[in-house]
Amino acid sequence: MAGHSKWANIQHRKGRQDKIRGKLFTRIGKELTIAARDGGNPEFNPKLRMAIDKAKAANMSKDVLERAIKKGTGELEGVEYVEMTYEGYGPAGVAFVVEIVTDNKNRSAASVRSNFARNDGNLGADGAVSWMFHRKGIIIVDKGDMDTDDFMLQALDAGAEDISEENGKFEVVTEFSEFMAVKGNLEGQGIVVESAEITMIPENNVEITDEEMAKKVMKLYEALEDNEDVQNIYANFEISEELMEKIGE
């Protein structure tokens, strides 16, 4: 399965939704501020438009949204954020790509290095594992009463690369460069997009079947997730629902 539903299921089964929700506005706020550096008009700034859509989907208030944008455009004083990416390996040889947004590079470098070192992982050089991933667009649509075949034809006509159905949701995968166009085409056909994001999908996943190893992999994933400077985490592992439920008990 593609990355979006996979991580959503992991987060749900691990009972971490409240903590994730608590950090969501902070992450979206950083995303809005960074995107707004390229201009505060979403009509001419696709990155900002996507961040605004994400903020609205998360029910971020208009005042908070606008304040984050104004910090990016310089209309309000704000923190100067820097984007960085770290790559490395975790337990069982799982590849991790970690995207950082920070106002203190030294603090972030030390904290991410500590996350890996304390959880049986090792940081690598730039490009060490990112070659295993492809940057894609993921669009989630609630199936509702739509016919699966009809929707798949619509999505393919809109420019989608792949479509799957799981748990009452359609997951549409697009090329990175076609993401906004496909999203716009679907919405133009009256299809309501539940969420849309750019992600990194691995070519192959490491299947984790051992309970202790699964715990170790998830411990590193969760340590990174709890890191205040971490914006996105991509990893190439697969754990069955049964095993995930077991280690979450």
Side-chain angles (χ1 to χ4, degrees), residues 219-232:
K219 188 178 178 183
L220 172 56
Y221 183 86
E222 290 169 3
L224 291 167
E225 193 173 62
D226 290 340
N227 189 316
E228 64 177 342
D229 295 329
V230 172
Q231 193 78 357
N232 296 300

Side-chain angles (χ1 to χ4, degrees), residues 78 100 127 132 172 192 208 218 246:
I100 301 291
M132 302 181 191
V172 180
V192 178
I208 309 295
M218 285 307 302
K246 191 174 182 180

